[in-house]
């Protein structure tokens, strides 16, 4: 079996995905027209051509601009449903998606409108495709902790729909320590915890996320490798890193895919996973990300299965669902060995 068929058949879980980052230009133009909003590009091609970034901030500026088109619950539903249809084709059987409430509440869109649209699509995706899911709300780290507290307050009536909290947006200058109190409060309410750290920021930010925020997972975490003791701890504590290869390339976190740290992470025994982050902006969904690392880092079928296993084990799914997904992976392994 060639590697692309292997990746296609491999059952996968996605643990690092911003739903606003799945907004494809075609849908953006359609919703802009539906909502009577103008976007500063003349065509889908012109918009796509603008997706050239030298760093995280250049991407975030365009990503927040795109999100302005989203107005109604129906818009959030359509956005989420398009993502689910797309990943179903990639054989993703479980997904944990981030949404950024503040990106929308700050421009007058109600928290409930956003969550309703996303949640009803996730339910429909579960019914239609059998894709299980968790929803994680992310605090924007360039805003204040006070603002994050207000967002947490708005989420409390929806604890049944929101599994966890995360931390994203501009990393440099906004260390995890800034959000220590709000993460403690979120934990008290039973939210699972994760945070972006070590994407552009130093290994010290990863340490802060672990020590001060008490997160269970690290989103990205590339820069952890700069700190040997931290690596030891990540391995010992079996911490999961949600790595995003095409995102790292596009945001110049890593210049050459051949030198992407995923290979070293696996060799060190780190529970790394592969994810798409913002696929509409970074040029690929799950299978594209798997393909990029398989080719450029010369990963074996066993490595690719380990990446999937890490994702199932490190997911926020129930123990029953995890067991089911791991069994599906073992079934796939058995079938491919026979071929
Ligand atoms: N990093 C930080 N914030 C983000 C990202 C990312 O990769 N994607 C969407 N918001
Ligand atoms: Zn991210």
């Amino acid at each position: 079996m060639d590697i692309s068929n292997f990746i296609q058949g491999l059952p996968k879980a996605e643990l690092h995905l911003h739903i606003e980052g799945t907004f494809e230009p075609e849908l953006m133009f359609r919703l802009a027209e539906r909502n009577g909003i103008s976007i500063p590009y003349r065509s889908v091609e012109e918009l796509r051509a603008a997706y050239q970034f030298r760093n995280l901030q250049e991407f975030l500026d365009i990503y927040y601009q795109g999100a302005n088109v989203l107005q109604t619950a129906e818009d959030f539903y359509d956005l989420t449903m398009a993502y689910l249809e797309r990943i179903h084709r990639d054989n993703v059987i479980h997904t944990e998606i981030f949404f950024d409430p503040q990106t929308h509440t700050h421009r007058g869109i109600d928290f409930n409108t956003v969550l309703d649209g996303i949640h009803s699509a996730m339910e429909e995706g579960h019914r239609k495709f059998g894709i299980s899911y968790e929803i994680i709300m992310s605090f924007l780290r360039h805003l204040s902790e006070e603002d994050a507290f207000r967002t947490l307050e708005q989420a409390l009536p929806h604890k049944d729909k929101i599994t966890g909290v995360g931390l994203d947006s501009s990393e440099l200058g906004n260390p995890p320590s800034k959000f220590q109190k709000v993460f403690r409060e979120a934990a008290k309410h039973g939210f699972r915890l994760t945070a972006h750290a070590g994407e552009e920021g130093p290994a010290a930010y990863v340490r802060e996320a672990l020590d001060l925020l008490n997160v269970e997972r690290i989103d990205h975490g590339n820069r952890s490798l700069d700190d040997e003791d931290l690596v030891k701890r990540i391995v010992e504590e079996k911490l999961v890193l949600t790595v995003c290869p095409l995102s790292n390339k596009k945001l110049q976190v890593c210049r050459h895919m051949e030198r992407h740290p995923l290979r070293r992470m696996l060799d060190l025994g780190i529970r790394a996973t592969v994810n798409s982050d913002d696929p509409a902006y970074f040029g690929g969904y799950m299978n594209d990300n798997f393909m990029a690392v398989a080719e450029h880092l010369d990963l074996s079928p066993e490595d690719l299965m380990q990446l999937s296993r890490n994702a199932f084990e490190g997911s926020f799914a129930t123990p029953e669902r995890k067991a089911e997904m791991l069994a599906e992976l073992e079934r796939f392994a058995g079938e491919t060995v026979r071929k």
Side-chain angles (χ1 to χ4, degrees):
M1 189 188 280
D2 79 359
I3 200 73
S4 110
N5 286 333
F6 182 87
I7 288 169
Q8 175 60 44
L10 181 69
K12 289 166 290 283
E14 172 139 79
L15 304 182
H16 183 158
L17 179 282
H18 303 264
I19 198 63
E20 294 89 347
T22 68
F23 206 3
E24 292 286 351
E26 290 80 2
L27 183 62
M28 199 182 288
F29 271 91
R30 193 143 58 78
L31 298 194
E33 191 176 6
R34 183 160 92 189
N35 294 330
I37 293 174
S38 73
I39 36 185
Y41 300 93
R42 276 171 307 189
S43 67
V44 162
E45 293 70 32
E46 195 180 301
L47 177 53
R48 261 212 184 90
Y51 295 172
Q52 303 293 338
F53 317 110
R54 279 170 300 185
N55 52 45
L56 174 59
Q57 194 58 52
E58 286 191 0
F59 155 68
L60 290 170
D61 293 343
I62 279 203
Y63 160 87
Y64 294 131
Q65 183 185 72
N68 287 336
V69 173
L70 299 162
Q71 299 284 322
T72 64
E74 192 187 2
D75 295 342
F76 286 94
Y77 178 94
D78 290 347
L79 173 73
T80 308
M81 189 45 79
Y83 163 67
L84 291 167
E85 282 167 357
R86 180 64 188 79
I87 62 164
H88 178 55
R89 288 194 268 130
D90 277 7
N91 202 23
V92 174
I93 61 172
H94 177 81
T95 185
E96 307 196 346
I97 67 161
F98 294 115
F99 76 111
D100 291 337
Q102 290 150 300
T103 298
H104 313 298
T105 54
H106 276 234
R107 52 189 183 89
I109 312 291
D110 199 66
F111 186 100
N112 301 316
T113 300
V114 179
L115 185 60
D116 273 0
I118 294 173
H119 180 259
S120 20
M122 295 307 268
E123 278 292 292
E124 179 65 12
H126 185 231
R127 276 192 298 269
K128 224 165 141 181
F129 306 126
I131 299 174
S132 54
Y133 71 91
E134 306 291 342
I135 298 175
I136 304 171
M137 69 164 187
S138 247
F139 299 129
L140 298 182
R141 68 202 305 159
H142 66 275
L143 301 176
S144 67
E145 185 176 45
E146 203 184 341
D147 210 288
F149 264 110
R150 277 194 291 276
T151 305
L152 179 61
E153 201 65 36
Q154 291 173 300
L156 292 181
H158 307 288
K159 279 206 262 190
D160 57 326
K161 298 194 187 81
I162 302 173
T163 307
V165 309
L167 185 64
D168 64 8
S169 193
S170 321
E171 187 180 13
L172 289 169
N174 296 295
S177 55
K178 183 175 162 187
F179 296 92
Q180 192 172 357
K181 294 194 206 73
V182 74
F183 266 67
R184 192 186 307 140
E185 187 66 19
K188 275 191 207 152
H189 288 285
F191 289 106
R192 309 287 295 264
L193 307 177
T194 184
H196 283 52
E199 180 184 17
E200 286 187 341
Y205 281 20
V206 177
R207 284 185 177 278
E208 278 192 16
L210 297 172
D211 292 334
L212 306 181
L213 304 187
N214 271 313
V215 297
E216 295 177 59
R217 293 201 300 241
I218 296 286
D219 298 311
H220 295 295
N222 299 38
R223 297 283 305 277
S224 311
L225 298 186
D226 298 346
D227 179 338
E228 228 176 272
D229 289 336
L230 177 60
V231 166
K232 225 182 263 170
R233 174 174 176 191
I234 289 172
V235 173
E236 273 166 24
E237 294 180 15
K238 300 184 165 59
L239 290 162
V240 167
L241 304 190
T242 65
V243 179
C244 307
L246 290 176
S247 163
N248 293 160
K249 181 77 181 38
K250 199 81 181 161
L251 299 188
Q252 305 196 18
V253 163
C254 134
R255 294 292 161 121
H256 305 281
M257 198 53 86
E258 290 77 14
R259 273 186 255 147
H260 191 277
L262 185 73
R263 169 83 268 171
R264 253 187 83 213
M265 288 175 179
L266 290 177
D267 292 344
L268 289 162
I270 292 175
R271 297 195 173 197
T273 61
V274 165
N275 307 273
S276 73
D277 206 6
D278 300 282
Y281 294 91
F282 301 151
Y285 287 77
M286 281 289 271
N287 288 355
D288 303 312
N289 275 275
F290 267 84
M291 208 47 211
V293 287
E295 281 190 324
H296 295 282
L297 301 176
D298 199 22
L299 300 186
S300 65
E302 287 70 31
D303 292 327
L304 300 172
M305 275 195 287
Q306 186 61 44
L307 288 165
S308 242
R309 191 173 298 114
N310 292 345
F312 294 143
E313 287 173 348
S315 76
F316 292 157
T318 61
E320 296 73 29
R321 179 61 182 148
K322 282 189 190 186
E324 222 171 77
M325 295 191 290
L326 288 163
E328 193 164 332
L329 181 63
E330 291 321 310
R331 239 185 344 265
F332 169 76
E335 281 166 16
T336 50
V337 167
R338 277 201 305 276
K339 274 184 195 159

